[in-house]
Amino acid sequence: MGMHDEESTDFNEDSFASKVVSLPRWAGRTVLEQAFLLYELLRDPNVPVWAKAIIAAALALFVCPCDACPDILPLVGFTDDGVVMAGAIAQLDVHVREAHRKKARRRARELLGN
């Protein structure tokens, strides 16, 4: 069964939204921007399916309640998520556009209120 654009953007949208909204402020702008950047790439119809599989895996780890480093621990809770998301972004750099980065930065700013 192939991954369709609609399926890939709806698959984790509720989990993703609830996770991002519930993030504590100390989780940091970097983690939020990475998550939003991957989410924007996942929604982009020009990103190939193989790349969306990498993105979906990274975001699945991000929204998963069971982590190697529990997210409730200040400073280290989002370390594993951040490392995985940074690795995914590095692998997919050729598909990242400035528009994706701007949207991710804007959405993180809106969520953090600054």
Side-chain angles (χ1 to χ4, degrees):
M1 183 165 150
M3 183 188 293
H4 300 292
D5 289 344
E6 185 174 62
E7 289 173 2
S8 64
T9 57
D10 291 342
F11 179 70
N12 285 321
E13 189 165 352
D14 291 337
S15 298
F16 177 78
S18 65
K19 173 76 172 209
V20 170
V21 169
S22 70
L23 284 173
R25 299 269 183 223
W26 52 259
R29 181 177 306 277
T30 301
V31 170
L32 284 173
E33 284 184 14
Q34 288 176 329
F36 282 127
L37 178 58
L38 288 172
Y39 187 72
E40 290 302 323
L41 288 169
L42 186 65
R43 296 178 52 136
D44 186 335
N46 297 316
V47 174
V49 173
W50 67 264
K52 289 183 180 195
I54 292 170
I55 295 165
L59 290 177
L61 174 66
F62 179 63
V63 300
C64 181
C66 51
D67 274 343
C69 299
D71 293 342
I72 59 169
L73 299 175
L75 304 176
V76 295
F78 291 97
T79 303
D80 58 337
D81 298 329
V83 168
V84 169
M85 288 190 293
I89 291 167
Q91 283 185 318
L92 305 171
D93 189 57
V94 70
H95 299 289
V96 178
R97 304 285 178 249
E98 187 57 29
H100 296 128
R101 292 187 191 282
K102 284 181 181 179
K103 272 187 173 177
R105 283 191 296 266
R106 180 181 48 79
R107 291 181 79 181
R109 265 195 320 270
E110 288 171 357
L111 189 64
L112 293 173
N114 54 15

